[in-house]
Amino acid sequence: MRQTWRWFGPADPVSIDDMLQAGVQGVVTALHHVPTGTVWTPQEIRARQDAIAMMRDGSPSGLAWEVVESLPVSEAVKTQTGDWRAHVEAWITSMRNLHAAGISVICYNFMPVLDWTRTDLAWRRPNGARCMRFDLTDFAAFDLHILQRPGAVDDFPAELQDAAARRFADMPEARRTQLAENVVCGLPGAADRLTMADVRALLDSYAPVTDGVLRRHFHDFLEQVAPVAQDLGMRLCCHPDDPPFPLLGLPRVMSTEADFAERIAAVDLPANGITLCSGSLGARPDNDLPGMMRRLGDRVHFLHLRNVRRDGDTIPDSFFEDEHLGGQTDMVALIDAVVAEEAKRRAAGRDDAVIPMRPDHGQDILDDIGRGGQPGYPAIGRLKGLAELRGVETALARVRGGTA
């Protein structure tokens, strides 16, 4: 695996120097300050590449921008309203500009309204570490009593509604405010910060977009962008829903292996691939991550390796982001499937035999606590995760008689 690291740009408290000391081989980033639906210009792309290429003291870092995460797909494209056609053209132009700059892998998602959802961004573990958590009762309290979404009562069983009402009644006002901010935090580093009014307006815009409609719109998008990526020799990799079940009455179309297989088949080109995120997909007990890697590995263009621990086995359910080798996903088995896929690619002579991977999220530990930065992206917690994942891969490669 190619060991990469997500960076949110010059304002990120985790620096290029920190990445080098962690042993990172490449950088994953995006132009978060560029408004969604507009073109990423060659000048903006070059400025980010230049920032990555330099350490604090002006020395060359030796690192390069290797994966884009994310090139956003606008809500207009997902709903096919307003200037959606112009937004698709801007996306394609951005892709061409990235290709001209030597970048060939683009991660994106097709989640309506929110790119990820958590109720706690710094949930305390028994050892004092902090992590992100999705608490289903807290989420129901938000949906029913803070957002007050019409129709929300139909989405929660009576037992959960009662628990949410009690939870909300016991919440101090500060916690209610924090819960709302946590839920709508969206993609870390995103330029947009959504208010309750924004969320309600966005939800209203999705009223006519059923599950089937969103799938059709996704296929329309892929039919326009994937052939261009194929001609350019680029790899597109869609990120799964996070968490992988419906929320806020919105459709979800990238939550299961069947969803992934359907998107791949919709435009059956090698460029049309997936981001296998073990943390997002692991929040469902029916997602077999090692099996998905074995069966869909041919189209896995990017890996997010992290782990979660669910409170139970219902869908949906509460979960928290565990240590990389903790949680309920068998990370050793998953990496073994990755090593096997890379061996197959080498044997076939593929130029993408080494799959880029980043240690996704991480618990805040040691000096991470109180340091600030993007939720889920501490320096030391991710370094610990990367070291563990690197050790697993090295051991498995040696057992198989190869090299990591």
Side-chain angles (χ1 to χ4, degrees):
M1 298 182 290
R2 180 77 174 171
Q3 298 163 21
T4 66
W5 189 274
R6 193 173 188 185
W7 190 52
F8 292 96
D12 193 330
V14 182
S15 68
I16 297 297
D17 297 47
D18 295 334
M19 284 186 246
L20 277 172
Q21 292 167 27
V24 170
Q25 297 169 322
V27 178
V28 177
T29 192
L31 304 180
H32 299 296
H33 60 286
V34 176
T36 300
T38 59
V39 171
W40 288 12
T41 65
Q43 293 78 16
E44 290 281 5
I45 294 168
R46 171 50 59 188
R48 180 56 54 88
Q49 289 178 312
D50 289 345
I52 291 168
M54 202 72 66
M55 297 175 68
R56 283 197 189 101
D57 64 1
S59 304
S61 70
L63 294 175
W65 185 359
E66 297 187 4
V67 179
V68 173
E69 186 179 352
S70 293
L71 181 56
V73 179
S74 72
E75 303 304 321
V77 171
K78 296 167 193 170
T79 58
Q80 290 194 359
T81 56
D83 294 333
W84 73 272
R85 290 182 177 85
H87 288 190
V88 173
E89 287 304 315
W91 208 93
I92 291 171
T93 301
S94 298
M95 179 168 57
R96 291 186 184 280
N97 291 341
L98 289 162
H99 172 262
I103 303 165
S104 61
V105 181
I106 299 176
C107 175
Y108 68 99
N109 75 71
F110 218 80
M111 283 180 271
V113 181
L114 298 171
D115 286 355
W116 54 263
T117 306
R118 300 291 186 274
T119 57
D120 294 275
L121 305 184
W123 191 61
R124 191 183 188 280
R125 301 294 299 127
N127 65 355
R130 306 293 194 273
C131 69
M132 297 208 289
R133 174 172 169 81
F134 177 86
D135 185 288
L136 186 59
T137 303
D138 277 354
F139 183 80
F142 163 80
D143 199 3
L144 292 163
H145 301 287
I146 298 176
L147 184 62
Q148 297 180 344
R149 176 174 62 89
V153 292
D154 298 328
D155 292 345
F156 303 104
E159 223 174 80
L160 182 54
Q161 291 182 43
D162 291 344
R166 292 192 298 271
R167 181 75 58 84
F168 181 74
D170 291 340
M171 278 184 194
E173 190 60 36
R175 171 56 184 162
R176 294 177 182 181
T177 300
Q178 186 64 63
L179 174 60
E181 291 176 355
N182 291 348
V183 170
V184 302
C185 191
L187 180 68
D192 301 325
R193 291 300 183 202
L194 303 178
T195 66
M196 289 297 99
D198 294 331
V199 174
R200 293 186 189 103
L202 283 167
L203 293 176
D204 288 344
S205 74
Y206 273 86
V209 182
T210 63
D211 181 274
V213 169
L214 187 62
R215 291 173 191 271
R216 187 171 69 248
H217 290 177
F218 194 175
H219 294 174
D220 290 345
F221 173 73
L222 286 174
E223 286 172 353
Q224 294 174 80
V225 303
V228 179
Q230 184 70 25
D231 289 344
L232 294 172
M234 300 188 76
R235 299 189 291 281
L236 307 181
C237 34
C238 187
H239 189 281
D241 302 322
D242 186 10
F245 40 75
L247 298 173
L248 302 176
L250 295 165
R252 303 286 245 186
V253 297
M254 286 294 282
S255 294
T256 66
E257 181 174 348
D259 290 335
F260 275 66
E262 184 181 39
R263 297 297 85 68
I264 289 170
V267 179
D268 193 9
L269 295 171
N272 177 29
I274 57 177
T275 297
L276 192 74
C277 177
S278 59
S280 298
L281 294 166
R284 286 180 67 113
D286 56 347
N287 280 333
D288 166 22
L289 272 301
M292 290 177 73
M293 185 66 215
R294 288 192 296 270
R295 292 182 288 271
L296 303 177
D298 181 63
R299 293 291 183 87
V300 173
H301 297 326
F302 189 29
L303 292 158
H304 288 181
L305 298 184
R306 64 179 170 89
N307 224 321
V308 299
R309 183 166 295 279
R310 304 179 302 273
D311 286 10
D313 284 329
T314 61
I315 303 172
D317 208 342
S318 304
F319 62 88
F320 71 89
E321 298 190 353
D322 209 339
E323 296 174 284
H324 286 77
L325 299 186
Q328 289 153 320
T329 292
D330 186 341
M331 193 62 71
V332 174
L334 174 55
I335 295 175
D336 188 49
V338 173
V339 171
E341 171 61 27
E342 290 184 327
K344 284 196 295 186
R345 293 184 183 192
R346 279 191 289 271
R350 285 176 53 164
D351 60 6
D352 63 343
V354 180
I355 304 171
M357 171 278 292
R358 68 173 178 84
D360 195 18
H361 296 186
Q363 296 189 351
D364 287 13
I365 58 175
L366 306 176
D367 292 348
D368 291 329
I369 298 173
R371 184 177 185 177
Q374 300 298 333
Y377 290 91
I380 303 170
R382 280 189 291 166
L383 168 60
K384 177 175 178 283
L386 177 59
E388 293 172 342
L389 299 171
R390 181 186 292 139
V392 171
E393 182 195 19
T394 300
L396 289 170
R398 289 189 179 180
V399 167
R400 287 177 173 273
T403 57

